[in-house]
Amino acid sequence: MDLENTKAQMRKGILEYCILSILSKNSCYASDIIRELKEAKVIVVEGTLYPLLTRQKNAGLLSYRWEESQQGPPRKYYELTDDGRTFLTDLDSSWDELVDSVNLIRKK
Amino acid sequence: MKITVSINIGGYSFNIDEDAYAELKRYLKSLEIHFAEEESSSEILSDIEARMAELFRARLAGYKQVITMEDVTEIIAVMGNPEDFSDNEGPTRKEKFVTPGAHRMYRDPDRRIIGGVCAGMGAYWDMEPWVIRGIFIVMAMAGGLGIPVYLILYAVLPEARTTAQKIEMKGDPVNIHNIKESVKKEVETVRKKMNL
């Protein structure tokens, strides 16, 4: 068993959940999301984020709008759709269940 | 002294050293191949380019005007190589790309004299194209059979256009590593042609 690989698999599983959680607070542009994910140490290489954002957008969980920026070309701001909010509520409760289950096993 | 190239990434223009340019091009090509099967792959690529432009701009603060190899290497490390973000859906990329034993005959547009038939056969059997051309010329002169055979093969054989097809033509397994190697070769050939 490769420890780094196992860790990477764990991170991968929660990355989509983290993205939705970040966007539930306010609409963000990709670099803001990256910053939060990096602070929380759930992302290693930035390239992982973009296909996930596009997939979530195609699945109707996210939408985006273009916003002018003073520093350069317009930026893409992502926000949760109503479907995305419902989806996130489901994920929240299943996350709590998961944490409870793991804790139960660890404390036995 | 170095030659620089002027490029446009995500709507910003940059001056970049030519070796750094070759590396950046190789990297973007590898991403393009990685995301080729993804829905909205062009959108993903332009989002990534926009982010890279931002990172390059952050490095160009102050007197620094040109993107160097070091900048490119560091930004590739930040963004990650395709093998670092293999996703959790479906088979892994490596499995997806390997088509075991795929070895097909194509017309080889890179080494062609007329239509690339002999060059393609040469690549397929790992022979010098001139040997095959010689056989065709002899066949054409002795009885004229060489010309119709050539025309039929020209009509039947597809041209090797994509990198994957060019690898299949030679019979190497098609995987991300080989494609990278062959893109690298292509970039070098172009560079030599341009006398850079």
Side-chain angles (χ1 to χ4, degrees):
Chain A
M1 278 297 259
D2 178 359
L3 179 63
E4 280 311 308
N5 186 38
T6 311
K7 279 187 189 166
Q9 294 294 333
M10 283 171 127
R11 269 199 301 265
K12 223 180 271 171
I14 55 167
L15 197 52
E16 297 192 34
Y17 176 40
C18 292
I19 295 170
L20 295 175
S21 294
I22 292 170
L23 289 172
S24 71
K25 288 172 269 171
N26 31 47
S27 66
C28 287
Y29 116 92
S31 305
D32 297 332
I33 306 177
I34 291 265
R35 187 159 23 78
E36 279 213 42
L37 293 174
K38 281 195 163 168
E39 275 168 21
K41 294 186 181 155
V42 282
I43 199 168
V44 179
V45 290
E46 296 195 6
T48 327
L49 175 71
Y50 300 92
L52 289 179
L53 282 176
T54 305
R55 264 183 232 149
Q56 290 180 330
K57 187 212 69 187
N58 288 344
L61 304 177
L62 305 180
S63 62
Y64 67 82
R65 58 172 201 279
W66 289 99
E67 231 169 69
E68 293 300 321
S69 154
Q70 298 190 329
Q71 286 142 36
R75 292 169 168 181
K76 238 179 186 176
Y77 272 77
Y78 288 92
E79 57 197 355
L80 278 192
T81 59
D82 290 339
D83 279 353
R85 285 193 190 281
T86 325
F87 194 84
L88 180 62
T89 320
D90 278 356
L91 285 184
D92 277 334
S93 53
S94 69
W95 173 254
D96 291 339
E97 275 169 33
L98 262 179
V99 172
D100 287 346
S101 318
V102 173
N103 282 340
L104 199 72
I105 288 171
R106 284 173 53 174
K107 280 173 195 158
K108 247 187 186 170
Chain B
M1 193 177 76
K2 271 184 175 173
I3 292 172
T4 65
V5 185
S6 171
I7 55 169
N8 167 357
I9 314 172
Y12 288 103
S13 96
F14 294 98
N15 285 319
I16 178 168
D17 281 338
E18 53 103 359
D19 55 342
Y21 167 72
E23 175 64 6
L24 183 63
K25 193 176 166 180
R26 182 203 61 78
Y27 176 66
L28 291 175
K29 189 80 197 171
S30 74
L31 291 184
E32 199 186 312
I33 293 165
H34 178 80
F35 291 123
E37 284 165 45
E38 190 92 30
E39 192 190 351
S40 339
S41 63
S42 61
E43 191 180 350
I44 300 174
L45 290 170
S46 63
D47 287 350
I48 291 180
E49 281 195 21
R51 174 64 175 165
M52 291 178 79
E54 217 177 66
L55 295 171
F56 279 132
R57 273 178 62 88
R59 298 184 70 93
L60 287 180
Y63 67 93
K64 193 169 145 71
Q65 290 183 347
V66 177
I67 298 173
T68 61
M69 191 64 162
E70 199 193 340
D71 298 324
V72 171
T73 321
E74 276 180 37
I75 281 164
I76 290 176
V78 171
M79 299 304 293
N81 276 303
E83 48 275 26
D84 302 324
F85 40 83
S86 62
D87 45 39
N88 36 11
E89 285 166 30
T92 62
R93 289 288 146 173
K94 211 176 165 196
E95 286 162 33
K96 243 186 199 169
F97 270 102
V98 178
T99 36
H103 189 190
R104 289 205 187 93
M105 202 181 279
Y106 288 97
R107 285 184 288 118
D108 183 353
D110 299 335
R111 297 191 298 166
R112 70 184 182 145
I113 299 288
I114 306 171
V117 171
C118 297
M121 291 168 88
Y124 184 83
W125 285 308
D126 197 19
M127 281 164 73
E128 189 47 47
W130 277 108
V131 175
I132 297 156
R133 286 184 193 123
I135 296 170
F136 270 94
I137 291 166
V138 169
M139 273 164 69
M141 296 208 290
L145 196 62
I147 296 166
V149 170
Y150 187 94
L151 290 176
I152 291 167
L153 285 170
Y154 180 84
V156 171
L157 295 177
E159 190 179 65
R161 287 211 183 90
T162 67
T163 307
Q165 286 171 336
K166 284 177 191 171
I167 292 167
E168 259 180 18
M169 176 170 77
K170 291 175 194 134
D172 299 331
V174 184
N175 60 35
I176 194 96
H177 180 73
N178 278 341
I179 291 178
K180 247 191 223 164
E181 286 300 307
S182 116
V183 168
K184 232 189 234 172
K185 262 186 218 159
E186 223 168 273
V187 170
E188 268 159 28
T189 324
V190 170
R191 254 168 65 196
K192 271 179 204 151
K193 271 188 197 156
M194 288 165 69
N195 256 331
L196 287 173

